[in-house]
């Protein structure tokens, strides 16, 4: 197999290709962390017969696998060095061009994925490969692979590759960026720009690692440990049925990192062939807060959790029960307001992910001197937790894209907006003298068109014959307040107050004429329950159980707490 070397020349010069017997570059001759030095441009030699044969083969699509060892820093800087790595037959007259020697694990993944046809497949494994690269070297790095139409001269290769890189970054089909700040003050940014749609300049992908500061051994290993979680997050957000799968990513090493941010954008085409954003995601995590925002054509999902009060966090089983309850409430709200299922699924996966696990300190008994009560796990007893959700405080919302689906009555908009909130206030000087109040709210405001004949949405146009439908407006709200207080370890207050209101306004239209207008609103409901006697009895039972080790009584007490926990979650 013959090898072909390309002279280093400016794209403004016509350059002939000349054969050489130099060995192909390898990892030993081209360090991963550095780029090869530029070769000083030389005056091109007269083309030989063998050179002409190569150029002729190039024009017919029998191309060399080329490697651009240095891309221009901007499109105005042209010098570059080219080396032919091996002979290969290209398919359909196309060639693959690399920015640096593809001699590491990251390039192997890029080369494998570059022929993929789905966004999820093209991004598979790239996140973990990037983290593996920076964990191994601790240095910045950049690589690009371009799949483009075969050309017969290196200056044209250089120009088309530069155009392709510009296209990747300005109009990608998918982009990913992970930013991390370390305890030592270093910053790491990993980025992926992918273009799966063939264009005039070609398809391909570009990755980059930017390291600011020096990474310690511990930080580099912590980066490596994020690999699986990073991949799962990217795969979840780039699939045809996207979801937020960030449980592993959220469990980053808080001893090594102080902040993590993930941003992704996936693009597709609408019915007219125009480029549109199919899903954009932004996830921010630090020691105090988690926040996520997802944007799609169907609407926006937002959620934030407050991690500053570990005292209120329940057991894994209690939190799982609370999450399952909330997911059920989301389904009921979506059904009542006729929300689109893909957007609802994104909301549910986000809610579950944000409460999947909390990075809590080790559970202890009592308080450390000078430490705020709300920061200490173990502050609350079983009775407290039975009347609280066990979840960290949060704000969550889902907002559908507003649409005017009726051309005859454009003021009738299809909308959906649902919010969930929990806030907890903890006071007291010690675990024996404490007070807690937890407030949870939910609100649904929606409007939608409903067919008179079938359950599906009506097909409305400008004709009167299409104007047969119900136009519904929903306005529901609910709240639950829990108040607990202790004096010297004895319960002195335990109340639960629940309220709810529901309203459905329906406009009936037949042949473009309003034939009905009604409102169904049962009126506000409320319920106040004093649980102090129950709380005192449960406290006494716990003390007796500790002395008598009665498993039956302990099981009965746990069942009572579980019952009240479910009732508090359900509301009215």
């Amino acid at each position: 197999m013959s090898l072909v070397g390309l002279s280093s020349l400016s794209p403004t010069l016509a350059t002939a290709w000349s054969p050489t017997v130099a060995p192909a570059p390898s990892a030993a001759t081209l360090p991963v962390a550095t780029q090869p030095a530029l070769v000083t441009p030389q005056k091109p030699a007269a083309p030989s017969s063998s050179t002409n044969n190569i150029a002729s083969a190039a024009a017919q699509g029998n191309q060399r696998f080329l490697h651009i060892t240095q891309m221009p820093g901007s499109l105005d800087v042209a010098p570059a060095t080219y080396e032919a790595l091996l002979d290969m037959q290209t398919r359909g007259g196309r060639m693959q061009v690399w920015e640096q020697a593809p001699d590491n694990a990251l390039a192997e993944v890029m080369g494998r994925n570059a022929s993929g046809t789905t966004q999820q497949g093209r991004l598979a494994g790239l996140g973990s490969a990037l983290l593996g690269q920076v964990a191994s070297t601790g240095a910045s790095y950049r690589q690009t692979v371009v799949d483009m139409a075969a050309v017969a001269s290196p200056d044209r290769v250089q120009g088309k590759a530069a155009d392709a890189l510009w296209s990747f970054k300005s109009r990608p089909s998918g982009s990913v960026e992970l930013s991390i700040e370390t305890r030592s003050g270093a910053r790491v940014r990993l980025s992926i720009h992918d273009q799966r749609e063939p264009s005039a300049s070609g398809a391909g992908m570009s990755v980059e690692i930017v390291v600011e500061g020096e990474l310690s051994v511990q930080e580099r290993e912590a980066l490596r440990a994020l690999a699986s979680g990073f991949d799962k997050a990217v795969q979840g957000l780039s699939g045809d049925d996207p979801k937020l799968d960030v449980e592993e990513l959220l469990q980053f090493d808080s001893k090594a990192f102080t902040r993590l941010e993930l941003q992704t954008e996936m693009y597709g085409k609408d019915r007219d062939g125009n480029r549109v954003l199919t899903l954009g995601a932004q996830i921010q995590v630090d020691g105090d807060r988690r926040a996520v925002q997802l944007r799609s054509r169907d609407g926006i999902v937002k959620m934030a959790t407050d991690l500053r009060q570990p005292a209120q966090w329940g057991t894994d089983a209690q939190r799982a029960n609370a999450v399952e309850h909330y997911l059920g409430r989301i389904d009921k709200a979506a059904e009542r307001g006729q929300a689109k299922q893909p957007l609802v699924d994104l909301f549910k996966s986000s809610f579950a992910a944000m409460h999947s696990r909390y990075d809590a300190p080790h559970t202890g008994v009592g308080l450390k001197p000078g430490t705020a009560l709300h920061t200490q796990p173990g502050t609350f007893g079983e009775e407290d937790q039975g009347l609280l959700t066990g979840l960290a405080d949060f704000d969550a919302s889902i907002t559908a894209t507003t649409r005017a689906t009726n051309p005859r009555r454009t003021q009738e908009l299809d909308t959906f907006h649902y919010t969930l909130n929990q806030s907890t206030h903890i006071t007291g000087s010690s675990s024996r003298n404490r007070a807690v109040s937890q407030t949870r709210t939910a609100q649904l405001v929606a409007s939608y068109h409903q067919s008179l004949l079938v359950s599906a949405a009506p097909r409305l146009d400008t004709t009167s014959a299409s104007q047969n439908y119900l136009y519904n407006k929903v306005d529901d709200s609910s709240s639950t307040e829990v108040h607990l207080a202790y004096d010297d370890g004895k319960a002195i207050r335990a109340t639960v107050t629940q309220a709810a209101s529901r309203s459905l306004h329906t406009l009936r239209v037949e042949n473009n004429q309003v034939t009905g207008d009604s409102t169904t609103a049962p009126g506000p409901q409320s319920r106040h329950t004093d649980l102090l006697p129950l709380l005192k009895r449960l406290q006494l039972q716990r003390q007796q159980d500790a002395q008598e080790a009665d498993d039956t009584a302990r099981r009965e007490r746990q069942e009572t707490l579980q019952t009240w926990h479910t009732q508090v979650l359900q509301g009215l």
Side-chain angles (χ1 to χ4, degrees), residues 357-552:
R357 255 172 47 186
Y358 306 140
D359 187 13
H362 296 293
T363 302
V365 178
L367 296 175
K368 298 178 182 179
T371 303
L373 183 67
H374 65 273
T375 64
Q376 289 299 299
T379 296
F380 295 160
E382 292 178 336
E383 298 80 17
D384 296 346
Q385 296 291 3
L387 298 176
L388 303 175
T389 64
L391 300 177
D393 287 345
F394 62 87
D395 281 294
S397 69
I398 171 175
T399 305
T401 302
T402 299
R403 303 183 189 279
T405 58
N406 189 355
R408 290 292 291 266
R409 298 173 182 266
T410 56
Q411 75 277 12
E412 295 176 352
L413 302 177
D414 289 350
T415 66
F416 183 89
H417 182 65
Y418 183 53
T419 60
L420 294 168
N421 169 272
Q422 174 187 293
S423 59
T424 307
H425 187 56
I426 302 171
T427 59
S429 58
S430 69
S431 58
R432 294 181 60 82
N433 297 279
R434 65 186 187 273
V436 57
S437 61
Q438 185 172 87
T439 302
R440 297 183 296 114
T441 63
Q443 184 174 27
L444 169 64
V445 178
S447 55
Y448 60 93
H449 291 83
Q450 179 182 352
S451 173
L452 292 176
L453 304 176
V454 296
S455 59
R459 295 183 177 180
L460 303 172
D461 54 37
T462 57
T463 65
S464 295
S466 72
Q467 301 293 305
N468 295 280
Y469 60 89
L470 300 175
Y471 182 59
N472 300 309
K473 290 185 176 181
V474 178
D475 191 349
D476 298 347
S477 63
S478 64
S479 66
T480 297
E481 293 184 9
V482 176
H483 297 278
L484 304 171
Y486 292 83
D487 183 12
D488 196 23
K490 296 180 180 179
I492 59 174
R493 185 185 184 189
T495 63
V496 177
T497 303
Q498 297 170 311
S501 66
R502 293 165 62 89
S503 174
L504 174 63
H505 177 258
T506 301
L507 190 73
R508 184 182 182 92
V509 178
E510 297 180 75
N511 292 319
N512 201 35
Q513 299 297 317
V514 176
T515 60
D517 190 339
S518 62
T519 300
T520 303
Q525 297 175 292
S526 64
R527 181 173 61 200
H528 179 81
T529 307
D530 187 355
L531 297 177
L532 186 58
L534 172 66
L535 199 59
K536 287 183 175 180
R537 186 171 73 252
L538 291 173
Q539 276 191 304
L540 181 60
Q541 288 178 352
R542 178 160 53 86
Q543 294 170 1
Q544 293 173 346
D545 292 345
Q547 296 174 357
E548 300 174 6
D550 187 340
D551 291 338
T552 301

Side-chain angles (χ1 to χ4, degrees), residues 56 112 188 217 252 264 329 352 364 395 399 415 474 476:
S56 175
R112 178 193 67 202
V188 178
V217 174
F252 63 86
T264 67
R329 291 190 65 172
D395 281 294
T399 305
T415 66
V474 178
D476 298 347

Side-chain angles (χ1 to χ4, degrees), residues 298 331 334-335 338-348:
D298 292 332
D331 281 333
E335 182 179 5
Q338 295 294 294
K340 290 190 175 182
Q341 196 58 46
L343 188 64
V344 174
D345 290 341
L346 273 179
F347 189 45
K348 291 171 65 178

Side-chain angles (χ1 to χ4, degrees), residues 14-19 43-52:
T15 307
W17 294 13
S18 57
K43 183 177 180 180
S48 64
S49 59
S50 60
T51 301
N52 292 332

